[in-house]
Amino acid sequence: RAEAAERARREAERRQLEEHHRERQRREAELESERQKEAARLRAEAEVEAARNAERVEYRAEKAKERRDEEERARERQEEESRRRETALAELAKQTPYYESISALQPDRDRVLRETRAFQRMKEESEWRRQMVELARDRAGEHEGVDGVFGRSA
């Protein structure tokens, strides 16, 4: 009888463990199913985001190409305008009656490089001021405790 009760108890424990094991496997299967669904959802979101990013990159690349093309066209228009102005100026210059005499003029380099009278006068005044400052410093040095032209104490 005690053996029968022990066997019954063990059988009940075994069934309880099996039931617990089945319940645990069922929960793990549910969790795995949820993980797979979440992973699939995340992959789908990543694909959608990748498609959006690809569109953004394509859009930005198109806009950058448009900007470069527009800058190139603007540069070409500017060059064309510059050439047109130069051509018009050259035509206008050729129509000027004294064009050849003006284009034949050569500057007198010696005269251009020579100092002007005003520049010479400025240099002379600068030299005179330098000498006056030196003289004032020399005289200030004769008086003890005086430094420079402005009479600051030493």
Side-chain angles (χ1 to χ4, degrees), residues 92-93 96-107:
L92 182 64
T96 305
Y98 44 85
Y99 169 74
E100 281 131 16
S101 62
I102 290 175
S103 62
L105 289 176
Q106 294 294 323

Side-chain angles (χ1 to χ4, degrees), residues 23-81:
E23 180 64 25
R24 188 173 174 193
Q25 285 179 336
R26 187 187 61 74
R27 276 187 276 142
E28 286 177 357
E30 285 178 1
L31 286 174
E32 184 59 31
S33 173
E34 287 179 23
R35 281 189 210 114
Q36 289 175 355
K37 287 177 186 176
E38 181 66 14
R41 186 186 65 77
L42 290 175
R43 280 192 301 275
E45 285 181 6
E47 288 174 4
V48 168
E49 190 64 27
R52 261 192 227 128
N53 285 339
E55 288 176 14
R56 288 182 189 132
V57 168
E58 182 179 343
Y59 175 79
R60 289 180 182 145
E62 288 174 7
K63 288 299 180 183
K65 185 180 183 312
E66 289 174 9
R67 274 194 307 274
R68 286 190 304 271
D69 291 346
E70 181 58 34
E71 288 171 359
E72 180 66 22
R73 285 192 297 274
R75 188 185 58 75
E76 289 172 357
R77 282 193 303 267
Q78 190 177 18
E79 288 175 357
E80 180 61 32
E81 179 67 20

Side-chain angles (χ1 to χ4, degrees), residues 68-122:
R68 286 190 304 271
D69 291 346
E70 181 58 34
E71 288 171 359
E72 180 66 22
R73 285 192 297 274
R75 188 185 58 75
E76 289 172 357
R77 282 193 303 267
Q78 190 177 18
E79 288 175 357
E80 180 61 32
E81 179 67 20
S82 178
R83 283 192 295 272
R84 191 178 58 73
R85 284 182 183 162
E86 288 175 13
T87 303
L89 186 60
E91 287 298 317
L92 182 64
K94 288 178 184 175
Q95 294 172 5
T96 305
Y98 44 85
Y99 169 74
E100 281 131 16
S101 62
I102 290 175
S103 62
L105 289 176
Q106 294 294 323
D108 182 1
R109 294 196 52 78
D110 292 334
R111 183 170 175 254
V112 170
L113 296 175
R114 201 170 38 222
E115 294 178 351
T116 62
R117 277 182 248 141
F119 185 74
Q120 288 173 347
R121 211 175 3 240
M122 188 268 312

